[in-house]
Amino acid sequence: MEVFVARQPIFNQEEGIVAYELLYRNNHINEFPNVDGDRATTELIINSFLNIGIDALSEGRPCFINFTEKLLDMRLPSYVSSKKIVIELVESTRPSRNLLEILKEMKKSHYKIAINSSLLDELNPYSNDILEQTDYVKVDFQKTDKNVRKRINKKALATDTILIAEKIETNEEYLEAKSNGFSLFQGYYFSKPAIFSTFDIPACFTSYVDMRAFISKEKTSVNDIVEFIERDPSLSYKILKLINSPANKLKEKIYHIRQAVEQFGPFEIENWIYVLAAREELTQTSSVSLDVAKLCLTRGRLCEEIGRIRNGKSEKIPGYFMTGILSFMNGVKAIPIEKMIDSLPLNEEMVQALMGVQNEYKDVLDLAVAVEKAQWKMIGEICKKLEIMETDLFKLYAEAINWSNRMVVEDICYL
């Protein structure tokens, strides 16, 4: 399915871009849809970091993301790097003791905070304390008059808080903001939000809520975590794409989940499973059926095992499993293969195989598909080419089916 994120730049007084605000969208229409704020933010984070890629969106600049008080209560921002986001409180947030304590906690963890000027209610006893925890105050030029703006400016500037003039639509508003102490500017006068889109592979059958509970246990091993992630091709795809982001500056690409878990540690992986679990708890996300998931896992496993014995190895060889998974998901979800392989750590042979070019990866994939479809003549021809005994092949196929069935049963019943 196609997913979307809108991005609007924030400018300084020299009209250089210093940050972006990321905005939830669910189609190509450039307006906020009528959806719950919790759902909008969790999907925005997942689409920005795990699907499109935060590097492509941010271009190395911080990104303002709106959070509701409920998401702050869940400590959702703490699962995203403080170097990449600014926590912006939604306009409907009301100052409270609970909110103040959360913001203090976020500040200690080096997050920057942005609030809307509506939070600076003179009658609310927590407004001044919240302002002290704030790095940016946004003032909506379409909703506030000049007298209100002057009061807010004086209050914010007394605490060295950076003022952002938002919803700037005319040159007159821009000049007024510049002359009245605003340092940063955002609005249609400069740029409308630009919409980015990509394709997401829906979750197969994993409950991220249950997975979060499992990997949080003290005695959970790396093997356990790897096995759980590999059960869901969608999660494997997202983790590999995230880990191989240019921001991580890897010396070499990571080709399989074990490498990712071992190099970055369970904590990094657990953070993103937490975010996925939060979306699962807050929204109804699409998924594919258990039967389709089993077929997908079976093809991936069979490709992996064929590649292993074809190369005379006792251990798994990176690449074959993901080639099988991607080829299956491409057919089931009708996602353009170019979109699926973008930003993934695929070597050129894997890319060519997925694009239909004949090579060893494609031979292995063709053999797996021929087994699925019981194409006996093709099975014989490819087995001869790869120097694999047909009896060995069908043994591998039976083992792949048993493995995928076990993955599904354990995923449903492990609690």
Side-chain angles (χ1 to χ4, degrees):
M1 67 180 175
E2 194 169 10
V3 294
F4 307 85
V5 170
R7 181 188 78 175
Q8 187 173 37
I10 298 173
F11 295 85
N12 60 19
Q13 290 194 344
E14 289 72 42
E15 298 187 20
I17 298 174
V18 296
Y20 292 102
E21 180 172 358
L22 301 184
L23 305 161
Y24 175 74
R25 298 289 186 268
N26 61 2
N27 53 40
H28 287 288
I29 299 174
N30 206 350
E31 60 184 35
F32 184 77
N34 184 24
V35 300
D36 174 74
D38 299 327
R39 171 188 170 186
T41 296
T42 52
E43 292 195 6
L44 173 70
I45 291 173
I46 290 166
N47 291 337
S48 298
F49 283 82
L50 298 183
N51 290 321
I52 295 173
I54 194 63
D55 305 297
L57 289 169
S58 71
E59 299 177 357
R61 300 178 177 91
C63 291
F64 286 62
I65 295 178
N66 282 275
F67 288 88
T68 65
E69 187 166 357
K70 181 175 181 178
L71 295 180
L72 293 174
D73 270 328
M74 296 170 66
R75 303 306 191 266
L76 192 71
S78 64
Y79 296 92
V80 184
S81 171
S82 61
K83 295 179 181 179
K84 295 184 181 295
I85 68 167
V86 174
I87 299 171
E88 181 174 341
L89 277 60
V90 297
E91 191 173 344
S92 59
T93 308
R94 298 269 64 85
S96 65
R97 169 58 64 183
N98 178 59
L99 179 64
L100 176 60
E101 295 305 318
I102 294 172
L103 296 185
K104 285 181 178 179
E105 184 181 322
M106 294 292 105
K107 289 294 291 182
K108 286 181 180 178
S109 297
H110 309 293
Y111 288 88
K112 292 188 179 298
I113 310 295
I115 65 172
N116 190 282
S117 59
S118 61
L119 268 75
L120 301 180
D121 184 346
E122 291 183 301
L123 301 178
N124 191 295
Y126 298 104
S127 291
N128 289 335
D129 291 333
I130 285 176
L131 180 60
E132 290 179 3
Q133 304 300 320
T134 299
D135 300 279
Y136 305 93
V137 172
K138 282 191 164 188
V139 180
D140 186 332
F141 264 57
Q142 304 308 310
K143 290 185 177 180
T144 56
D145 60 36
K146 291 185 178 181
N147 291 329
V148 172
R149 292 200 288 269
K150 286 181 180 179
R151 176 180 63 80
I152 293 170
N153 290 8
K154 183 177 180 181
K155 196 170 188 178
L157 292 173
T159 61
D160 295 324
T161 304
I162 297 171
L163 284 165
I164 302 177
E166 66 172 348
K167 304 289 179 66
I168 298 294
E169 296 184 355
T170 66
N171 185 57
E172 290 73 22
E173 290 171 345
Y174 173 47
L175 294 176
E176 179 194 334
K178 283 186 71 173
S179 65
N180 283 286
F182 285 86
S183 302
L184 303 177
F185 313 89
Q186 179 181 1
Y188 281 15
Y189 173 70
F190 303 97
S191 174
K192 291 184 177 181
I195 296 179
F196 292 69
S197 68
T198 190
F199 287 85
D200 184 21
I201 299 177
C204 287
F205 49 81
T206 301
S207 166
Y208 296 124
V209 174
D210 292 344
M211 184 183 287
R212 179 186 64 195
F214 180 82
I215 67 173
S216 298
K217 295 177 182 177
E218 291 184 7
K219 295 183 180 180
T220 304
S221 68
V222 169
N223 286 339
D224 293 329
I225 296 173
V226 170
E227 186 174 286
F228 267 83
I229 294 174
E230 285 185 338
R231 292 175 185 179
D232 193 325
S234 171
L235 181 58
S236 297
Y237 175 88
K238 287 178 171 65
I239 293 297
L240 286 175
K241 188 172 182 179
L242 175 72
I243 294 302
N244 286 280
S245 162
N248 288 322
K249 299 178 181 178
L250 300 174
K251 292 182 179 179
E252 58 183 32
K253 294 288 186 179
I254 288 177
Y255 287 88
H256 51 81
I257 295 302
R258 178 170 294 280
Q259 283 180 296
V261 175
E262 290 177 346
Q263 181 160 339
F264 284 83
F267 180 75
E268 176 79 11
I269 305 300
E270 184 179 349
N271 281 353
W272 283 107
I273 291 174
Y274 184 98
V275 176
L276 289 163
R279 177 176 67 168
E280 185 178 301
E281 290 177 315
L282 294 166
T283 68
Q284 293 294 321
T285 55
S286 62
S287 63
V288 298
S289 71
L290 293 182
D291 288 337
V292 170
K294 285 191 288 185
L295 290 171
C296 183
L297 290 173
T298 299
R299 181 184 293 184
R301 182 72 165 198
L302 181 57
C303 285
E304 184 176 60
E305 289 301 304
I306 294 172
R308 179 180 61 79
I309 66 167
R310 170 69 182 87
N311 289 278
K313 302 287 186 179
S314 58
E315 70 277 3
K316 299 174 182 178
I317 299 175
Y320 287 100
F321 183 82
M322 186 57 69
T323 300
I325 292 296
L326 290 176
S327 69
F328 191 94
M329 296 306 295
N330 172 242
V332 171
K333 302 307 295 182
I335 299 172
I337 193 64
E338 296 87 353
K339 293 286 187 180
M340 292 185 66
I341 64 179
D342 184 41
S343 302
L344 275 180
L346 309 182
N347 62 42
E348 187 58 30
E349 283 189 292
M350 292 168 66
V351 172
Q352 289 181 353
L354 289 166
M355 297 295 291
V357 178
Q358 209 66 44
N359 57 27
E360 186 166 325
Y361 282 91
K362 185 64 163 59
D363 288 338
V364 169
L365 181 58
D366 286 346
L367 183 54
V369 174
V371 172
E372 293 171 3
K373 296 181 177 180
Q375 297 172 326
W376 307 114
K377 183 179 179 181
M378 184 174 289
I379 289 171
E381 291 173 352
I382 301 176
C383 279
K384 185 176 181 179
K385 180 180 180 179
L386 298 181
E387 300 180 342
I388 296 174
M389 297 291 292
E390 289 186 34
T391 53
D392 291 338
L393 173 66
F394 292 117
K395 182 180 178 182
L396 294 177
Y397 186 46
E399 291 173 349
I401 292 173
N402 290 335
W403 176 80
S404 62
N405 286 335
R406 189 171 67 252
M407 292 300 100
V408 173
V409 171
E410 290 181 1
D411 192 70
I412 293 171
C413 300
Y414 70 84
L415 289 181

